[in-house]
Amino acid sequence: MKKIGFLSFGHWSAGAGSRARTAADVLHQSIDLAVAAEELGADGAYFRVHHFAQQLGSPFPLLAAAGARTSRIELGTGVIDMRYENPLMMAENAGAADLIATGRLQLGISRGSPEQVVDGWRYFGYRPADGETEADMARRHTEVLLEVLKGDGFAQPNPRPMFANPPGLLRLEPHSEGLRDRIWWGAASDATARWAAGLGMNLMSSTLKEDETGEPFHVQQAKQIAAFREAWAEAGWEREPRVSVSRSIFPIVSDEDDMYFGDGGGESDQVGVIDNMRAVFGRSYAAEPDVLVKQLAEDEAIAAADTLLLTVPNQLGVAYNAHVLESLLTHVAPALGWR
């Protein structure tokens, strides 16, 4: 059994064929797709976060709205760039959204990817400390977030407050119990996967990874998952960690599917340089269901993960993306033992 959800990058454009032409379109359609995914029996609705781009940027209003419209499905991010985040404000926003969603948030966070502007986090008021890289800054923000999400008091109360305080130091409110255990780290390397395990974060592995061995993408990703789980055990955490991988998978079951994806997508991994890192990008899968079943059965990373996130072409609209999810849940997942 696997949890299966979608991951939307939340693009909008006025280009030909786009059914998401404005930011308002994307936000409303994202909520509607989460509702549709829940009705279809999917397990998760996840959203990418980018700044200075025509994509989803501020996740917590969206997560709260989707939480109010759904009752079962997990709601998450993949991922929030921690270079841009005030961890205390983030903890408040996340706590409120999680309470609205009755404890269903699964927050993917990370150092982030190359953005639309140079050092965009500076416009948000952040800069690395002396001797610190921007990646160090993201990890520092993360460690503060994890600490305050525990719910322990740390702030000295005013001796003459407007409202009566509970005894002792004060914590951030609203606090959502259990959210600390539902933070995921988007790791590009084996080293950051092990770091995340040491801090008790779940692992979110995307459709690209640092090319550390030259092996096929899914093999390197499976080894990263194994390294993460080994580090988790060494850290002595009592709960079982979660691991997700993202894939572009399109069952061809209609003429419309064939029109969009009948060329088969990327049949092999791609290697490139992103943010001064040699990266390997995983292939896309697009074929008739019986072919997909055979192809996906050979993907070692999917086999190793407990959660599969399907990257969806959100500009094709809610109805089509719901169809893609339904096709995979109906025609592919059962044959692979995921359902």
Side-chain angles (χ1 to χ4, degrees):
M1 299 293 290
K2 285 193 192 301
K3 289 183 179 291
I4 300 174
F6 72 83
L7 172 61
S8 172
F9 279 53
H11 295 282
W12 74 85
S13 80
S18 174
R19 295 183 175 93
R21 306 182 70 81
T22 68
D25 289 343
V26 167
L27 289 165
H28 286 289
Q29 290 176 20
S30 295
I31 297 166
D32 290 344
L33 185 56
V35 172
E38 181 172 86
E39 292 173 349
L40 290 169
D43 303 294
Y46 287 73
F47 304 98
R48 185 70 167 90
V49 179
H50 273 120
H51 301 291
F52 300 103
Q54 290 188 342
Q55 294 177 243
L56 295 170
S58 178
F60 294 110
L62 171 60
L63 294 171
R69 289 275 307 277
T70 57
S71 61
R72 179 193 58 78
I73 197 169
E74 294 179 343
L75 302 164
T77 52
V79 290
I80 298 172
D81 187 335
M82 292 303 292
R83 295 174 296 181
Y84 287 76
E85 293 296 320
N86 177 320
L88 274 69
M89 182 60 72
M90 182 178 177
E92 287 188 353
N93 290 336
D98 194 43
L99 291 171
I100 291 171
T102 60
R104 289 180 283 130
L105 258 59
Q106 304 284 341
L107 293 182
I109 64 177
S110 186
R111 187 217 66 127
S113 60
E115 295 293 308
Q116 298 298 103
V117 299
V118 176
D119 296 344
W121 30 268
R122 294 183 184 272
Y123 296 98
F124 280 56
Y126 305 113
R127 63 180 61 245
D130 291 343
E132 189 180 52
T133 67
E134 62 186 86
D136 295 332
M137 178 176 67
R139 287 189 281 267
R140 171 167 53 84
H141 288 179
T142 297
E143 290 172 358
V144 174
L145 173 69
L146 295 176
E147 186 63 29
V148 299
L149 284 179
K150 292 178 181 177
D152 298 331
F154 62 90
Q156 186 68 40
N158 188 339
R160 292 182 295 278
M162 181 177 295
F163 307 104
N165 282 323
L169 300 176
L170 300 183
R171 69 184 184 184
L172 289 175
E173 301 290 356
H175 172 71
S176 186
E177 193 68 35
L179 180 57
R180 167 64 177 81
D181 292 340
R182 288 179 273 118
I183 305 298
W184 305 58
W185 184 259
S189 69
D190 293 358
T192 52
R194 287 190 289 266
W195 173 81
L199 290 177
M201 290 186 283
N202 302 305
L203 176 64
M204 185 171 280
S205 198
S206 186
T207 53
L208 68 87
K209 183 188 175 299
E210 182 178 354
D211 187 8
E212 299 183 78
T213 67
E215 295 173 290
F217 169 75
H218 71 101
V219 174
Q220 292 196 53
Q221 196 174 44
K223 290 183 175 180
Q224 181 192 53
I225 293 170
F228 167 79
R229 290 195 169 123
E230 181 181 6
W232 185 277
E234 291 172 353
W237 298 106
E238 294 183 1
R239 66 180 176 87
E240 285 295 314
R242 296 274 303 274
V243 175
S244 74
V245 296
S246 301
R247 292 290 185 274
S248 298
I249 304 172
F250 301 101
I252 308 296
V253 299
S254 70
D255 290 342
E256 189 175 25
D257 298 329
D258 188 61
M259 177 183 67
Y260 286 132
F261 304 107
D263 62 358
E267 294 293 339
S268 61
D269 297 340
Q270 301 293 319
V271 176
V273 176
I274 181 169
D275 205 20
N276 298 317
M277 176 185 75
R278 177 183 166 88
V280 56
F281 300 79
R283 57 164 297 182
S284 297
Y285 295 93
E288 290 72 21
D290 58 330
V291 176
L292 283 181
V293 168
K294 295 177 181 178
Q295 293 175 338
L296 295 170
E298 298 176 354
D299 191 310
E300 295 180 16
I302 292 180
D306 60 77
T307 301
L308 173 63
L309 301 181
L310 306 172
T311 59
V312 294
N314 75 278
Q315 289 186 85
L316 295 182
V318 174
Y320 183 74
N321 282 291
H323 159 74
V324 170
L325 287 170
E326 184 176 23
S327 296
L328 187 129
L329 291 169
T330 303
H331 301 296
V332 178
L336 287 161
W338 300 346
R339 279 291 186 270

